[in-house]
Amino acid sequence: MPEISIDYMNKLAAQFTLISTLLVGFSLSAIIALMRNQSKSVLMTYIFRLATVATFGFLITIFSMTKILMMTTPGFPIKVKYADLSQPRIVGILAFLIGLIAMLSLISVSGWTQSKSLGRFTTLLGIIALVFILMMMV
């Protein structure tokens, strides 16, 4: 596999940071809304857990990609080798995928709180969205 240039890695990290920042805001607002909800059902517990996993996944991505962004910016005081970027890149991408799957699961499961037909609808759309997102990431 060809090595990705440092400049491209910088731009890619910036995009991951931007997307993760937007998604962490969404998942964090879901946590806050769920904390105000007085329902103690099993389904609401799963939704809260999914929102928490998504939030932490996106937060980890933000910090991993920020590290890459800083290391690949001209003027960084330490000489950076391509191998130095492996750990934050792997951690960031895995955390992003975990956050993304948790976020899509959260949206998919949320329909079940209203009705069976809405639950089926949101689950189907969640699966379709996951397939298309993963296709576009490859």
Side-chain angles (χ1 to χ4, degrees), residues 17-72:
T17 303
L18 175 66
I19 293 167
S20 296
T21 302
L22 295 171
L23 291 175
V24 79
F26 179 75
S27 59
L28 191 55
S29 65
I31 289 174
I32 293 168
L34 289 168
M35 288 173 75
R36 291 184 182 159
N37 188 344
Q38 299 300 318
S39 176
K40 301 290 184 198
S41 71
V42 173
L43 192 56
M44 293 306 281
T45 302
Y46 285 133
I47 291 172
F48 186 83
R49 288 178 181 172
L50 287 169
T52 305
V53 169
T55 300
F56 282 115
F58 294 131
L59 280 172
I60 292 167
T61 302
I62 290 169
F63 285 99
S64 295
M65 293 300 158
T66 300
K67 180 175 182 175
I68 292 173
L69 196 58
M70 295 307 296
M71 292 173 73
T72 57

Side-chain angles (χ1 to χ4, degrees), residues 3-136:
E3 194 173 283
I4 299 173
S5 73
I6 297 292
D7 187 47
Y8 185 78
M9 188 76 74
N10 182 284
K11 303 284 189 230
L12 190 61
Q15 292 301 312
F16 268 102
T17 303
L18 175 66
I19 293 167
S20 296
T21 302
L22 295 171
L23 291 175
V24 79
F26 179 75
S27 59
L28 191 55
S29 65
I31 289 174
I32 293 168
L34 289 168
M35 288 173 75
R36 291 184 182 159
N37 188 344
Q38 299 300 318
S39 176
K40 301 290 184 198
S41 71
V42 173
L43 192 56
M44 293 306 281
T45 302
Y46 285 133
I47 291 172
F48 186 83
R49 288 178 181 172
L50 287 169
T52 305
V53 169
T55 300
F56 282 115
F58 294 131
L59 280 172
I60 292 167
T61 302
I62 290 169
F63 285 99
S64 295
M65 293 300 158
T66 300
K67 180 175 182 175
I68 292 173
L69 196 58
M70 295 307 296
M71 292 173 73
T72 57
T73 298
F76 187 69
I78 302 169
K79 179 76 173 152
V80 177
K81 293 178 247 149
Y82 188 76
D84 297 336
L85 302 173
S86 293
Q87 181 190 18
R89 186 182 63 190
I90 291 169
V91 169
I93 291 172
L94 285 176
F96 182 78
L97 288 174
I98 289 168
L100 188 62
I101 290 169
M103 179 67 72
L104 288 171
S105 299
L106 164 89
I107 295 167
S108 297
V109 171
S110 66
W112 292 96
T113 62
Q114 299 300 312
S115 68
K116 209 179 232 187
S117 64
L118 190 57
R120 288 185 190 127
F121 178 73
T122 56
T123 301
L124 178 64
L125 284 182
I127 292 168
I128 292 170
L130 179 64
V131 168
F132 280 114
I133 289 170
L134 292 177
M135 279 176 29
M136 295 304 114

